[in-house]
Amino acid sequence: MIRTIIALCYLAFYFIISFPMFLVEKIVRSVSGSEKSMGMACSFISWGFLCVKAIAGTRLTVIGKEKVPEDEAVLYISNHRSIFDIVLLFPLLNNPTAILAKKSIEKVPVISRWMKVVRCQFLDRNDIKQGLQCILNCIRFAKEGESVLIFPEGTRSKTRDMGEFKDGSFKVAQKSGCRIVPVAVTNTDQIFEAHLPWLAAQNVTIEFAEPIDMKELPAEEKKHIGEYVHKLVEDMYIRNRDAVN
């Protein structure tokens, strides 16, 4: 219970200090350009997430981060277990990184404002045209050098198993030429969702696989890229899940 109370107090503090930081970001953007303002926003968001991680008592093991290229945009493809996936993942990603998130997050005050600064896209699953535009925007971001994080299951998995990956997510890599980095997050659902409304200290593993260049894949694997990447993520997830449990 004490962790949850501290977390709520911290979120109130973060919301309050965000308002002057919005002004700072606006000044940085007008003086130094959007690239500098996005870098500042990513640093501020990462700092906030790291504080939440510490308050939650999460013990994080990161595997394979050295495999991720630092000098190019990539498409991160991750399974989705919890709202804590983004909290723990974002500080590990090469900045700037845009996230393809569900539309409802756009209604969250302050958080959505920061996400818009780093060009996150809010996907309405009931609007096919809007969803296509989100993907097109992500393709453009990747071409401009900004990485993209997508959870291709479309929603958090409510069971121990992973859901299917939606093929549309991979258009970002197909059209921009960026490499795909499969990511497996394990045990994040045990931090909050399994103990609602309380936070619980947990061991969490995040593993990054070798980047995939679609141009180098055989034709059959290109054709079924969703299934191919799903298998890679699933293997990492199951291995780490069994190790944690």
Side-chain angles (χ1 to χ4, degrees):
M1 180 185 295
I2 188 64
R3 292 185 189 278
T4 305
I5 294 172
I6 295 173
L8 290 173
C9 292
Y10 170 74
L11 287 176
F13 167 74
Y14 187 84
F15 279 23
I16 291 170
I17 64 171
S18 284
F19 290 102
M21 288 301 295
F22 288 147
L23 178 59
V24 173
E25 183 275 324
K26 189 174 182 179
I27 294 171
V28 171
R29 182 163 17 104
S30 63
V31 173
S32 303
S34 60
E35 185 175 345
K36 289 289 186 181
S37 73
M38 280 198 292
M40 188 218 81
C42 285
S43 296
F44 185 70
I45 294 168
S46 294
W47 170 76
F49 284 162
L50 288 171
C51 289
V52 172
K53 168 182 170 286
I55 292 169
T58 303
R59 298 174 291 272
L60 178 61
T61 299
V62 180
I63 303 171
K65 178 64 171 63
E66 71 281 356
K67 300 173 184 176
V68 182
E70 298 182 355
D71 57 351
E72 63 183 79
V74 298
L75 171 63
Y76 296 100
I77 292 291
S78 174
N79 64 315
H80 198 11
R81 303 293 306 168
S82 165
I83 60 173
F84 268 81
D85 294 344
I86 293 177
V87 172
L88 300 177
L89 255 177
F90 191 84
L92 299 175
L93 307 181
N94 294 339
N95 293 332
T97 299
I99 301 170
L100 186 63
K102 60 184 180 180
K103 187 71 173 176
S104 58
I105 295 179
E106 192 173 18
K107 299 177 182 178
V108 179
V110 179
I111 299 299
S112 62
R113 172 69 174 78
W114 282 120
M115 291 179 73
K116 288 175 182 176
V117 173
V118 294
R119 304 202 292 187
C120 293
Q121 299 295 292
F122 301 97
L123 178 66
D124 184 349
R125 300 190 187 98
N126 297 318
D127 188 336
I128 296 176
K129 184 177 180 181
Q130 189 267 356
L132 175 60
Q133 187 58 55
C134 285
I135 295 297
L136 291 174
N137 289 341
C138 288
I139 293 170
R140 175 167 58 85
F141 299 160
K143 288 181 177 179
E144 293 173 355
E146 183 173 5
S147 295
V148 178
L149 167 63
I150 295 180
F151 300 100
E153 290 167 283
T155 187
R156 290 185 289 111
S157 176
K158 305 298 193 300
T159 69
R160 283 169 57 85
D161 300 322
M162 285 171 44
E164 294 182 1
F165 283 1
K166 294 174 172 55
D167 290 336
S169 305
F170 296 90
K171 293 293 184 184
V172 176
Q174 292 169 333
K175 299 297 183 181
S176 71
C178 73
R179 290 193 281 177
I180 301 169
V181 177
V183 184
V185 295
T186 306
N187 216 41
T188 48
D189 54 308
Q190 296 300 313
I191 299 173
F192 182 60
E193 284 83 356
H195 306 279
L196 287 170
W198 313 118
L199 294 173
Q202 295 291 334
N203 294 314
V204 169
T205 301
I206 296 179
E207 183 170 359
F208 297 84
E210 291 283 353
I212 300 167
D213 189 338
M214 287 191 64
K215 297 189 293 293
E216 298 177 357
L217 291 178
E220 188 64 20
E221 290 176 350
K222 283 183 185 177
K223 183 178 179 181
H224 301 287
I225 186 65
E227 296 177 15
Y228 177 73
V229 177
H230 185 282
K231 181 65 167 59
L232 292 174
V233 175
E234 187 175 49
D235 287 347
M236 292 188 293
Y237 166 67
I238 292 175
R239 180 176 64 250
N240 294 328
R241 183 190 68 190
D242 292 345
V244 168
N245 297 328

